[in-house]
């Protein structure tokens, strides 16, 4: 059984989802792939303790604190490749950014292969089911461009400004 509830944030209404022990999703209201990992699964609108913990984490994040991802129990639902990409996203420090190409290089190293397609990595980044907490917004284009955020570029810019990344989105 999965549960979900809502959270009003500076980037719009969020949906937080979890099972009995883990956060499994966090989506912006009009995000691409909204709640896709829960399709076909039994879900109930209910604020559980897991969801309350995530909301408190979000409160702290939007108040300018730097809560650690490890403070929450997270469970990724996806293919092995996507899960690996999402785990690598979780390693990007607060206030820092990385390009899709550099992320692809890191994943290739981790997998012990010569190269990895930045486009393949970008596809997995775009399907990250736990936005904000797992910081896919910290991945930018090779020239510093604000591309590839399924929650919308304006939300990505707001999140990066909140974190003080120093990225110039203009």
């Amino acid at each position: 059984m999965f549960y979900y509830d809502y959270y009003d944030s500076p980037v719009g209404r969020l949906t937080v989802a979890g099972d009995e022990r883990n956060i499994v999703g966090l989506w912006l209201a009009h995000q691409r792939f909204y709640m896709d990992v829960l399709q076909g699964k039994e879900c109930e609108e209910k604020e559980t303790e897991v969801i309350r913990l995530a909301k408190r984490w979000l409160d702290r994040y939007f108040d300018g604190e730097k809560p650690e991802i490890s403070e929450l129990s997270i469970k990724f639902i996806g293919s092995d490749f996507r899960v690996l990409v999402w785990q690598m996203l979780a390693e990007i420090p607060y206030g820092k950014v990385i390009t899709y190409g550099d992320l692809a290089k890191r994943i290739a190293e981790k997998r012990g292969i010569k190269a990895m397609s930045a486009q393949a990595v970008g596809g997995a980044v775009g399907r990250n089911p736990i936005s904000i907490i797992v910081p896919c917004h910290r991945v930018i284009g090779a020239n510093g461009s604000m591309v590839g955020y399924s929650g919308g570029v304006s939300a990505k810019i707001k999140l990066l400004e909140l974190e003080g990344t120093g990225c110039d989105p203009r």
Side-chain angles (χ1 to χ4, degrees):
M1 174 68 101
F2 294 93
Y3 305 94
Y4 66 93
D5 199 30
Y6 302 101
Y7 178 88
D8 291 317
S9 82
V11 294
R13 190 172 208 200
L14 305 175
T15 301
V16 184
D19 60 18
E20 288 80 11
R21 290 185 268 185
N22 309 285
I23 295 299
V24 300
L26 176 65
W27 300 273
L28 284 86
H30 300 290
Q31 181 173 330
R32 275 185 317 185
F33 314 116
Y34 179 81
M35 291 185 74
D36 67 333
V37 298
L38 298 181
Q39 285 194 352
K41 296 180 171 61
E42 192 174 344
C43 297
E44 177 185 335
E45 183 179 341
K46 178 181 178 184
E47 185 183 58
T48 64
E49 182 58 27
V50 167
I51 291 172
R52 270 190 294 280
L53 288 171
K55 287 179 176 184
R56 281 189 229 126
W57 190 100
L58 290 165
D59 285 341
R60 292 174 47 224
Y61 175 82
F62 287 115
D63 283 343
E65 294 181 33
K66 300 175 186 176
E68 296 290 330
I69 295 170
S70 61
E71 295 174 26
L72 299 172
S73 181
I74 290 175
K75 178 180 170 186
F76 292 118
I77 301 171
S79 69
D80 290 345
F81 175 70
R82 286 181 182 165
V83 168
L84 174 61
V85 171
W86 302 334
Q87 289 169 337
M88 298 293 288
L89 290 175
E91 295 175 9
I92 304 169
Y94 181 99
K96 303 291 182 191
V97 293
I98 187 172
T99 67
Y100 288 94
D102 287 339
L103 183 59
K105 287 177 191 170
R106 288 185 185 181
I107 291 169
E109 288 173 17
K110 187 138 185 136
R111 294 180 89 192
I113 58 177
K114 194 173 186 177
M116 171 62 57
S117 160
Q119 289 82 8
V121 169
V125 169
R127 292 191 83 104
N128 171 21
I130 309 176
S131 298
I132 302 171
I133 293 171
V134 176
C136 51
H137 60 278
R138 295 178 189 155
V139 185
I140 61 173
N143 61 357
S145 59
M146 298 294 124
V147 296
Y149 192 60
S150 62
V153 173
S154 63
K156 180 175 190 158
I157 291 168
K158 283 182 185 178
L159 294 168
L160 293 175
E161 287 174 346
L162 171 79
E163 293 184 16
T165 61
C167 286
D168 183 7
R170 319 293 167 231

